[in-house]
Amino acid sequence: MASILSNSLFKYMANGSVDFDTDTFKCMLLSNSYTPSKSHDYLNDVNSYEVSGTGYSAGGNAATPTISAVDNVNNRVKISWSIASWTTATITAAYGAIYKSRGGAASADELIGILDFGGNQTSTAGTFTITVSTNMRFQN
């Protein structure tokens, strides 16, 4: 399965509850027991699948979006992600959940999307790094 965006993301952008310029985002690592679904809309839909391990803090690490300039030739805009690595970590994860971090209840944290790692990825007392190779793209 490929990485997916939450179906609710477009609602969040339209009503202003998600602002890629100013909001705080995180990436939480999920185990392979999670089944991705576009209908998942808040962090509480996925957080029971969060991994645990040495060097991993609950809630995940910072995820920083970068918005490209508007491409008026192709009628689109792209958002790329930079996700902080987990150092000296012993963890196994199959997915990453990018979400807006409000710092409170998981039921209030908007889910942006799920990164599919193509199976379990493991670090053993090493650095766990996520490289998002495909940008989010919004096209008219």
Side-chain angles (χ1 to χ4, degrees), residues 14-85:
N15 70 17
S17 63
V18 167
D19 184 335
F20 290 105
D21 284 324
T22 61
D23 290 340
T24 299
F25 298 92
K26 286 188 163 187
C27 182
M28 172 187 286
L29 298 180
L30 306 176
S31 72
N32 65 358
S33 61
Y34 171 69
T35 301
S37 173
K38 291 181 176 188
S39 67
H40 291 157
D41 52 358
Y42 288 93
L43 188 62
N44 64 332
D45 290 325
V46 304
N47 67 345
S48 63
Y49 301 96
E50 185 174 21
V51 303
S52 62
T54 303
Y56 181 82
S57 297
N61 277 356
T64 305
T66 300
I67 304 168
S68 70
V70 173
D71 179 344
N72 287 313
V73 173
N74 296 298
N75 303 310
R76 64 185 178 201
V77 65
K78 296 178 188 176
I79 299 175
S80 60
W81 291 93
S82 174
I83 300 169
S85 296

Side-chain angles (χ1 to χ4, degrees), residues 58-135:
N61 277 356
T64 305
T66 300
I67 304 168
S68 70
V70 173
D71 179 344
N72 287 313
V73 173
N74 296 298
N75 303 310
R76 64 185 178 201
V77 65
K78 296 178 188 176
I79 299 175
S80 60
W81 291 93
S82 174
I83 300 169
S85 296
W86 291 265
T87 57
T88 319
T90 299
I91 47 179
T92 298
Y95 303 98
I98 296 178
Y99 66 98
K100 177 178 175 176
S101 176
R102 293 179 177 272
S107 60
D109 290 341
E110 294 89 342
L111 188 63
I112 305 304
I114 302 294
L115 303 173
D116 186 341
F117 302 156
N120 279 336
Q121 303 299 314
T122 301
S123 65
T124 304
T127 301
F128 192 100
T129 301
I130 298 174
T131 301
V132 182
S133 58
T134 303
N135 295 329

